[in-house]
Every structure is written in structure tokens, then in C-alpha cells.
Amino acid sequence: VVRSFLQVQVSKMAGPPSIQSAIKRLRNAAIKLQLWWSRVRTARNAYVSILLPHWRRVQDQVYQRMFDDLAAEEVRAEKAKQQLMRDLLTRTSSLQAQQIA
């Protein structure tokens, strides 16, 4: 495990490989990642604290519009289905009439 860890870290080193310097670099990289994530989380929390009260005011309106649009789409789809069934029934009836005649 130590050998593979050192082999990965050797290309980043200026001097001869040592476990102590490799661990130090790994620790520094982990700290940088943690600091970056802390900044991201802080920015996200700031956006949420600013925008959430405004969103809550308009949320009901947005959801109502979305549900109205979905309901209208369902009505259009049902009408199209009924029209298709009527057309199919008309064609079937006319084919049966032609076969009888």
C-alpha cells in the first residue's frame, strides 16, 4: 500500500520520495478541498437564506400554473384519444359496409 501510494506521489515531488512528504502533500490537498467545500456551502446557504422567503411567496402560484398546464395537457390528450377512436370506428364501419356490399 505504501509503495503504490509513493509511486503515485513521486511524479509530484522534486526530491527523492519519502512517506512523510507524500503524507504532508496529501494532507494539504485534503485541507484545500475542505476549505473549498466550506466556501461552496457558505455561498449556498447565503443564496438559500436570501431567496427562500421570496420563493415561498410565489411557490403556490408556480405550482398552480404547473398543475393547470398538466391538467390542460391531459384534457388535450384525452380529446385526441377520443377523436382517434371515433376515426377508427368510422373507418371500421365503412370497411365493413364495403365488404357487405
Side-chain angles (χ1 to χ4, degrees):
V1 172
V2 173
R3 181 182 298 145
S4 65
F5 177 73
L6 285 175
Q7 287 173 348
V8 169
Q9 296 296 323
V10 165
S11 63
K12 299 177 183 178
M13 298 174 65
S18 74
I19 189 74
Q20 188 175 13
S21 63
I23 290 174
K24 186 176 182 178
R25 269 193 313 284
L26 181 64
R27 181 177 177 273
N28 288 338
I31 290 171
K32 284 181 184 179
L33 180 65
Q34 289 171 346
L35 290 173
W36 171 81
W37 178 247
S38 176
R39 287 191 304 269
V40 168
R41 189 177 60 229
T42 302
R44 180 190 171 275
N45 288 338
Y47 280 118
V48 167
S49 67
I50 291 170
L51 297 176
L52 191 59
H54 300 292
W55 167 247
R56 287 193 174 141
R57 281 196 300 246
V58 297
Q59 179 179 12
D60 292 335
Q61 296 170 0
V62 170
Y63 285 164
Q64 188 61 46
R65 286 181 192 165
M66 288 172 50
F67 291 134
D68 289 346
D69 291 346
L70 288 172
E73 182 61 34
E74 285 183 26
V75 168
R76 284 192 295 273
E78 185 61 33
K79 285 182 180 179
K81 181 181 171 184
Q82 290 174 358
Q83 181 63 41
L84 183 62
M85 293 301 286
R86 281 194 297 271
D87 292 347
L88 185 60
L89 183 60
T90 303
R91 288 180 184 163
T92 304
S93 298
S94 65
L95 285 176
Q96 287 175 348
Q98 289 176 358
Q99 289 176 351
I100 294 175

